[in-house]
Amino acid sequence: DTAVSQTPKYLVTQMGNDKSIKCEQNLGHDTMYWYKQDSKKFLKIMFSYNNKELIINETVPNRFSPKSPDKAHLNLHINSLELGDSAVYFCASSQGVHQPQHFGDGTRLSIL
Amino acid sequence: QKEVEQDPGPLSVPEGAIVSLNCTYSNSAFQYFMWYRQYSRKGPELLMYTYSSGNKEDGRFTAQVDKSSKYISLFIRDSQPSDSATYLCAMSTPNTGNQFYFGTGTSLTVIP
């Protein structure tokens, strides 16, 4: 009965590959997010979707493409992976604007 | 200058101590303030959520917001070894949609 679940938990891959991370929330929230947390624990928003529409798109390389098939799902596809993409990626959801976000347990991406 | 500044620590206290964690910020428009706790290899978990200034108490946790000084605090009374984690502050303005700005987190260890 996990509220926000991400798969996979760990992802180890080679530079140049394409990979996807999936996220699902069962809280009935209308807004979902992707965050990147670097090695110094700094959490930075990448994307935010509200009712399947993109509302925040921070300056991230266009190799990163989010897709929201419905309100409960937000996936992240990454093309041509680079060493600097190694980080923990967190999915989160909230109900409405300015409401606290509920996080998944992260996907640890390591680029070899 | 980052939007939100937080001393990374590490902070080490004996069990039963009162812990004070702090964040400062530069944007006077911030109105929504949150504290998250993050255990190792887990996602951030919401502890406290406050709007505008004032204090909020929940069990052993007290959140304070001082907007005149652009300073927020989280106090933990009777600290327990299970409180050992990284604590992240986060905040947003009414005009930034669902975008929250996070501090870099303070690592806390409570020694039995």
Side-chain angles (χ1 to χ4, degrees):
Chain A
D1 61 344
T2 306
V4 181
S5 58
Q6 298 177 227
T7 53
K9 288 191 189 308
Y10 299 93
L11 191 49
V12 181
T13 190
Q14 302 238 333
M15 214 163 49
N17 284 352
D18 303 338
K19 289 293 178 186
S20 291
I21 307 172
K22 294 186 176 182
C23 179
E24 175 182 6
Q25 54 95 3
N26 62 7
L27 296 167
H29 288 166
D30 59 5
T31 308
M32 296 184 72
Y33 313 78
W34 278 111
Y35 283 87
K36 180 180 180 181
Q37 188 173 48
D38 61 24
S39 57
K40 294 182 179 176
K41 295 283 192 178
F42 183 58
L43 202 60
K44 185 163 170 44
I45 193 163
M46 299 173 71
F47 302 102
S48 171
Y49 268 76
N50 179 262
N51 283 317
K52 300 196 301 172
E53 285 191 30
L54 183 65
I55 55 171
I56 293 176
N57 181 3
E58 286 298 290
T59 307
V60 298
N62 57 14
R63 298 182 293 104
F64 291 79
S65 52
K67 280 193 170 45
S68 181
D70 55 57
K71 281 183 6 175
H73 296 84
L74 180 62
N75 304 324
L76 183 65
H77 188 76
I78 316 169
N79 289 327
S80 303
L81 281 157
E82 299 177 358
L83 289 175
D85 298 333
S86 295
V88 183
Y89 292 84
F90 284 101
C91 177
S93 72
S94 68
Q95 182 58 36
V97 177
H98 306 300
Q99 294 303 305
Q101 294 158 20
H102 297 256
F103 286 81
D105 281 339
T107 295
R108 280 148 190 84
L109 175 62
S110 296
I111 310 302
L112 302 177
Chain B
Q1 183 188 7
K2 283 185 181 164
E3 296 269 5
V4 180
E5 299 280 356
Q6 186 175 7
D7 186 340
L11 186 59
S12 190
V13 301
E15 184 174 353
I18 296 174
V19 177
S20 171
L21 303 165
N22 311 296
C23 287
T24 58
Y25 60 92
S26 55
N27 188 345
S28 57
F30 283 139
Q31 295 272 11
Y32 304 91
F33 303 93
M34 280 135 290
W35 285 96
Y36 285 86
R37 175 175 62 196
Q38 186 175 17
Y39 291 117
S40 180
R41 299 199 168 271
K42 290 289 189 180
E45 168 196 10
L46 180 70
L47 281 177
M48 303 288 277
Y49 174 63
T50 55
Y51 171 72
S52 195
S53 285
N55 295 357
K56 184 173 181 179
E57 189 174 320
D58 184 1
R60 296 184 295 111
F61 298 91
T62 300
Q64 285 186 354
V65 175
D66 181 349
K67 292 191 71 184
S68 62
S69 301
K70 298 197 189 100
Y71 189 89
I72 68 170
S73 300
L74 177 71
F75 296 96
I76 307 174
R77 289 184 299 282
D78 187 26
S79 56
Q80 302 294 309
S82 59
D83 295 329
S84 298
T86 295
Y87 290 79
L88 299 151
C89 63
M91 46 197 82
S92 76
T93 81
N95 299 322
T96 53
N98 282 0
Q99 183 166 1
F100 287 86
Y101 295 88
F102 281 81
T104 50
T106 300
S107 175
L108 171 68
T109 300
V110 180
I111 303 165

